[in-house]
Structure formats: structure tokens, C-alpha cells
Amino acid sequence: MKNAVLAAIIFTAAFTANAKAQSIFDKIDRLAGKVESATYKVDRAANAADRAGKTGGKLAGMLGKKKENSTASLTDTNGANKTVITVSGMEMEKLQKLNDLLENTDGVTSSKMKYSNGKSTITVIHKGDTQNLMRKINAKANGVYTSQNITEMEDGLVTLKL
């Protein structure tokens, strides 16, 4: 009889432990389902935001909205100014001559050229403002460009079109 009672107690304890373990597993499973649902909702929201951003960019492009050039008017730690010269329609040889002129101009610390068939850029680190830099360059730019090729000039940004 003791063996039967002992077996019943062990069976009851095992059954109770099994039920509690199953309850814990059920809770974990429900939480995993909630996490999966939340992840799905976040992914959908991210995709919707991405699509909206692309649509907004296309609309801004269609409306001709001009993007700000965030690198145009920055100054470095030495107090020198940064000017980005954007050039369209200039072949590589003339762009290299312009870059050489810039590098050999008084007050220019450095220049970095990026060539592209459609639109090239030269980033110049220099002392003084952009207008002063362009005055110095215009005096030496014979055969590379004329002042009539300057389509835009503001502090930190110059646009040339040939």
C-alpha cells in the first residue's frame, strides 16, 4: 500500500510539473507569436516609409526643388573655408588644368577633383571667401573657362557650365 501511495504522489507531482512546464511553453509560444507579429508590422511600416521617401524625392525632382549642398559652406578646424565647384560639360584635360590653377592659387590649402562625364566637382579648401577665390581664378583661367560660364556662385558653392 505504501508503494501505491508513493507511486500516486510521484505520478501527481510529475503530472503537475509537466502541466506547469507545458503552461510555460505555451506562454513562450504566445510571446514568440506577438514578437513575430510586431516584427511584421515594423517591417511593413519601414517599407511604407521607404516608398513614401522615394515618391517624395521623385515629386521634388519633378517640381524642380533644389537640394541644399550641405558640404558647401563648411569650415575646417584651421578656419579655412570649403568651396565646391561643380562643372558640367568640361572634358578631363580642361578640368585638370582648372584643378592645377586652383592648387597653385594663393590661399588654397588643397583641392580634390572628381571627374564624371556629365558633372564633375572640385572641392577646394582655402583661406578667404568664395568670391575672392573666384576673382583670383578668373584672372588666370584663360582657355579653361570664362566668367560667362559661371551660372551660380554663393558662399561655398560655384557652378560652371560650358
Side-chain angles (χ1 to χ4, degrees), residues 49-105:
D50 188 42
R51 285 192 309 271
K54 288 179 182 175
T55 302
K58 289 178 184 176
L59 287 175
M62 288 171 50
L63 296 174
K65 185 170 183 174
K66 185 177 169 183
K67 290 186 179 179
E68 285 292 320
N69 189 348
S70 62
T71 61
S73 62
L74 298 177
T75 59
D76 70 2
T77 56
N78 296 330
N81 293 317
K82 180 178 183 180
T83 297
V84 177
I85 301 173
T86 305
V87 184
S88 59
M90 186 179 278
E91 61 266 359
M92 178 65 176
E93 183 180 325
K94 283 189 176 182
L95 187 69
Q96 186 62 51
K97 285 181 183 179
L98 177 59
N99 190 48
D100 291 343
L101 283 173
L102 285 164
E103 287 178 342
N104 296 317
T105 299

Side-chain angles (χ1 to χ4, degrees), residues 87-91 94 144-146 149 160-162:
V87 184
S88 59
M90 186 179 278
E91 61 266 359
K94 283 189 176 182
V144 179
Y145 75 93
T146 66
N149 297 116
L160 297 174
K161 186 174 183 181
L162 299 181

